[in-house]
Amino acid sequence: MVRLDETPVEWRVSQGLTDYAEAVAFMEARVLAISEGRAGELVWLVEHPPLYTAGTSADEDDLKEAKFPVYRSGRGGQYTYHGPGQRVVYVMLDLTKRDQDIRRFVMALEAWIIATLDTFTIRGERREDRVGVWVKRPDKGAGVEDKIAAIGIRVRRWVTFHGISLNVEPDLTHFSGIVPCGIAEQRYGVTSLVDLGLPGTMDDADAALKAAFVSVFGPLADR
């Protein structure tokens, strides 16, 4: 998915907690500007206060308890959680400059996450029947797998937005208010870098994400 002319992508990291509605409004404006040629591509890293988002395929029954504000989202997918300790990465790329293949784009996002996890000696895996990146947990029992990163995107005029979330050190009990991504089977849960015994910081995760992005999508330009 490297850009055909290899124009560097802007890489921006916001400190503190970013309001979700404000983030969506910013993305909407930026995607329009990218599609009209008034702005360049952007990868934006944020943390949100605790909240749930409902994707376009969300089942109301999967909201078990609204512990936090619930936002309707235009991204694909079902219910997910965002909160402190989770790195949310909004990916605004122009697929007309890369490859106009949404499935391939999603696979590239998965490859990016898997390469990031390799930095921490974690084997992340994709699943054909489950979106996101998963980690086998033999310590919890045979066949048990936990999701460590979620993917939910939208594409408008071939410009992507929304993106991925990587669990670094969120409060995993906050996921209990929803059926994450509509997957109710008890052998499929959620995990994080810290839950897996890796006391990495958000800065460590950002550095790994940055290096892996270049290997999958091409060069970056820091803001």
Side-chain angles (χ1 to χ4, degrees):
M1 292 297 287
V2 173
R3 201 175 197 272
L4 298 180
D5 63 7
E6 296 206 351
T7 300
V9 177
E10 180 184 348
W11 182 270
R12 184 184 302 184
V13 181
S14 290
Q15 302 301 320
L17 299 181
T18 300
D19 179 80
Y20 183 76
E22 292 177 5
V24 172
F26 173 86
M27 280 193 290
E28 294 272 354
R30 184 65 176 240
V31 166
L32 178 61
I34 294 171
S35 68
E36 293 179 347
R38 296 183 287 105
E41 296 176 310
L42 171 66
V43 177
W44 183 28
L45 288 71
V46 305
E47 283 182 87
H48 288 306
L51 59 94
Y52 298 127
T53 67
T56 55
S57 302
D59 184 335
E60 293 299 322
D61 290 340
D62 288 344
L63 179 62
K64 298 191 292 184
E65 181 183 356
K67 296 182 176 183
F68 309 110
V70 180
Y71 293 87
R72 296 291 164 186
S73 171
R75 63 163 175 81
Q78 303 186 52
Y79 279 100
T80 195
Y81 165 78
H82 294 318
Q86 180 191 72
R87 177 52 86 201
V88 177
V89 188
Y90 292 128
V91 185
M92 289 157 270
L93 300 182
D94 185 352
L95 297 188
T96 68
K97 309 295 186 183
R98 297 172 181 274
D99 186 345
Q100 291 176 262
D101 185 327
I102 295 172
R103 178 175 173 78
R104 188 178 175 203
F105 173 65
V106 172
M107 292 179 67
L109 293 177
E110 292 172 336
W112 176 25
I113 297 165
I114 290 168
T116 298
L117 294 174
D118 281 344
T119 304
F120 301 97
T121 66
I122 295 173
R123 181 181 176 84
E125 300 179 357
R126 57 167 56 97
R127 294 289 179 262
E128 290 297 325
D129 59 336
R130 284 177 269 133
V131 177
V133 174
W134 297 79
V135 177
K136 292 180 179 177
R137 299 299 304 270
D139 54 310
K140 291 184 175 182
V144 176
E145 296 183 355
D146 286 342
K147 178 182 279 192
I148 192 167
I151 297 173
I153 66 163
R154 187 170 182 180
V155 179
R156 180 180 296 157
R157 298 183 184 178
W158 290 107
V159 178
T160 70
F161 58 124
H162 295 280
I164 68 172
S165 58
L166 174 65
N167 295 332
V168 179
E169 192 179 4
D171 185 338
L172 296 179
T173 66
H174 288 182
F175 286 86
S176 64
I178 58 171
V179 177
C181 301
I183 301 171
E185 293 181 59
Q186 290 190 354
R187 63 193 179 107
Y188 301 136
V190 291
T191 190
S192 67
L193 295 181
V194 170
D195 182 53
L196 292 171
L198 296 164
T201 66
M202 192 66 76
D203 287 343
D204 294 331
D206 290 350
L209 282 162
K210 191 173 188 179
F213 181 91
V214 172
S215 69
V216 176
F217 291 100
L220 286 165
D222 286 319
R223 187 186 181 198

